[in-house]
Amino acid sequence: MSFSKDKSNIMCFRRGKTLPIEIESLISNMRLSGHNLDEFSMCVVNEYKYLGITFNSNTQSLYSIHARRLVQKIQFQSYKVSRSISYDTPIQVGITLVIAIIRRVIGYGLSFIHLTKEVQRKLQSSLVRPLKKGLGLPRIVST
């Protein structure tokens, strides 16, 4: 069996912020299928990206890093879509851009993660910003 040295890390999910010393000593002597993992110089990480979803080792904020990065990504995508939409852009084109670019990014992995109300509000705000512009509505219209 072969392991990817670049992508192989150890992540211990826990409730606290620090890893107990007993666990750290167990990890340093870990063997997997008869292979000593010392060859890989694997380290314990606090976050790990797997299939596009970033996990946090602290289970109380398991998806907080992913949510923060998702909001940043959506805000940037919203900005790019808003710049490409003008007041004379057909409404259907604006809607298609929002669905094809912004909703696609929001929807990826959404069924696996839990978003707080604050993150949901930020995502919704970023989603409707280019729609308002495409519809010719003022920016202060409530969502």
Side-chain angles (χ1 to χ4, degrees):
M1 180 181 288
S2 63
F3 297 97
S4 170
K5 293 181 183 181
D6 298 332
K7 294 183 180 181
S8 295
N9 289 308
I10 299 172
M11 185 166 167
C12 297
F13 294 99
R14 57 190 178 269
R15 284 187 172 240
K17 292 186 178 185
T18 59
L19 193 63
I21 296 172
E22 310 86 51
I23 302 295
E24 284 187 35
S25 65
L26 285 173
I27 291 171
S28 63
N29 299 320
M30 186 180 286
R31 297 177 74 73
L32 181 63
S33 300
H35 298 284
N36 189 348
L37 296 179
D38 290 335
E39 305 165 6
F40 296 99
S41 67
M42 291 177 31
C43 60
V44 177
V45 294
N46 289 325
E47 64 180 70
Y48 190 77
K49 191 170 192 172
Y50 181 70
L51 297 177
I53 298 175
T54 305
F55 294 95
N56 188 354
S57 61
N58 187 343
T59 57
Q60 294 173 337
S61 59
L62 187 61
Y63 304 112
S64 61
I65 297 169
H66 181 76
R68 186 178 66 243
R69 290 179 182 161
L70 179 63
V71 168
Q72 290 171 346
K73 188 183 295 185
I74 293 304
Q75 287 173 340
F76 183 65
Q77 295 295 332
S78 177
Y79 167 76
K80 289 192 317 188
V81 170
S82 293
R83 286 197 54 187
S84 64
I85 295 174
S86 64
Y87 290 104
D88 59 345
T89 301
I91 294 172
Q92 189 59 40
V93 172
I95 292 171
T96 302
L97 284 171
V98 169
I99 290 172
I101 296 172
I102 300 173
R103 275 191 52 194
R104 158 186 74 78
V105 175
I106 291 174
Y108 182 80
L110 199 57
S111 60
F112 299 108
I113 64 173
H114 172 73
L115 298 176
T116 63
K117 295 289 183 188
E118 177 68 19
V119 170
Q120 291 175 16
R121 186 190 60 74
K122 288 179 181 179
L123 291 176
Q124 180 181 4
S125 173
S126 296
L127 178 68
V128 298
R129 190 174 299 122
L131 287 175
K132 288 179 186 178
K133 186 173 181 182
L135 293 171
L137 299 172
R139 293 182 69 190
I140 58 171
V141 173
S142 96
T143 56

